[in-house]
Amino acid sequence: MNKNDRRVKKTQAALQNAFAELMQEKDLHHITVQELTSRANIHRVTFYTHYHDVYDLYTQIEENTLTELGNIAKNDPAHLYEGIYNGIIDYIYDHQTLFHMFLCSENTSFTNRLSELFETKYLSIWLFEDNLTEISSEMRYLTSYHIHGCLAIITTWAKSSFASPKSKIIQLLLMADTNFEQMLIEQKIT
C-alpha cells in the first residue's frame, strides 16, 4: 500500500481527527478501536491495515507532528524568527484539533518532546549566529527558559480554543523573543 496514495492519506486523516476528538472527551487508555473507527466512519479492518492499536496511532501522530514542526524550524536558512514563528503558528492553526489534544491533555509526552526539539534547534541557531563551538550551562538554562515561555503562550492559545488571531500570537512570540535577545545582550551571555 502506497502511503502517498490520496485514499490512504484521507483514511489516516479521518482516523487522526476522530482520535483527536475522542482525546478531548477521554484518556487515551479508554479509547477503543471500535469507537474510533465508528467516529471516523472507517471499517476496523482498515484501521488495522495502518495501525496496531490506538497507542500506535497516537505514537505515529506524535512522530509525524514533531517531524513537521522540526522541518518548519529547519527550513529557514536565514534563521529569521518571524518566519519560523509564522510557519509554526500556521501549522498549529491548520491542525487545531491535534494541537488541542496534545497541549491540553494530561499527557506531557508531546510537550516534553516538543520542548526538547525546539531547544535543540534554538541552541544550534544560537551557536551558528554567535560563531560558537560550545554550549555553556548559561545558554542551556536560558534556552530552556525561553522555549518554555514560548510554549506557554502557544498552550494558552490552544486552551482558549485558538480564540486570538494568529497574528496576535506571532506578535507575542516576537515580543518575548526580542526581550530575551535584549536580556542576552545586557548580560553578554555566550
Side-chain angles (χ1 to χ4, degrees):
M1 183 178 310
N2 183 355
K3 288 185 177 186
N4 292 322
D5 184 298
R6 269 189 354 196
R7 291 171 298 163
V8 170
K9 286 185 176 193
K10 185 177 177 183
T11 298
Q12 289 176 332
L15 285 167
Q16 290 175 6
N17 287 333
F19 182 74
E21 289 171 6
L22 285 168
M23 282 286 290
Q24 292 178 24
E25 300 168 14
K26 54 178 76 179
D27 292 332
L28 173 63
H29 61 279
H30 288 119
I31 296 174
T32 66
V33 172
Q34 179 60 48
E35 68 185 329
L36 177 61
T37 55
S38 195
R39 182 162 302 195
N41 198 24
I42 291 175
H43 197 278
R44 285 174 55 98
V45 173
T46 303
F47 174 86
Y48 288 113
T49 301
H50 301 285
Y51 309 102
H52 299 295
D53 53 27
V54 292
Y55 299 100
D56 183 37
L57 171 60
Y58 179 86
T59 301
Q60 286 189 40
I61 293 170
E62 187 175 292
E63 290 296 325
N64 292 340
T65 303
L66 290 168
T67 298
E68 290 294 322
L69 288 170
N71 288 338
I72 291 167
K74 174 173 68 173
N75 285 338
D76 185 6
H79 304 297
L80 300 174
Y81 296 110
E82 186 171 2
I84 293 171
Y85 290 144
N86 273 313
I88 290 169
I89 294 304
D90 283 345
Y91 183 80
I92 291 170
Y93 191 80
D94 292 343
H95 299 89
Q96 289 180 29
T97 308
L98 285 180
F99 279 92
H100 195 277
M101 173 187 76
F102 285 135
L103 299 174
C104 301
S105 75
E106 298 295 318
N107 184 349
T108 59
S109 166
F110 178 81
T111 308
N112 291 338
R113 293 185 65 204
L114 183 60
S115 176
E116 288 174 23
L117 171 74
F118 286 155
E119 285 181 34
T120 301
K121 298 281 185 195
Y122 192 87
L123 284 169
S124 69
I125 290 170
W126 199 352
L127 288 172
F128 175 79
E129 287 179 344
D130 291 349
N131 198 26
L132 300 172
T133 57
E134 203 173 301
I135 300 169
S136 69
S137 59
E138 290 88 358
M139 286 173 73
R140 285 197 189 280
Y141 292 133
L142 291 171
T143 298
S144 179
Y145 168 80
H146 182 58
I147 295 301
H148 282 88
C150 291
L151 287 176
I153 291 170
I154 293 169
T155 299
T156 301
W157 185 44
K159 287 181 178 178
S160 76
S161 297
F162 305 94
S164 296
K166 294 186 300 184
S167 59
K168 179 69 172 173
I169 301 305
I170 293 167
Q171 179 186 26
L172 290 171
L173 291 170
L174 288 170
M175 187 170 34
D177 198 58
T178 301
N179 290 336
F180 182 70
E181 291 294 327
Q182 186 59 40
M183 181 180 76
L184 294 177
I185 291 167
E186 289 172 8
Q187 296 299 314
K188 296 184 174 136
I189 300 291
T190 56

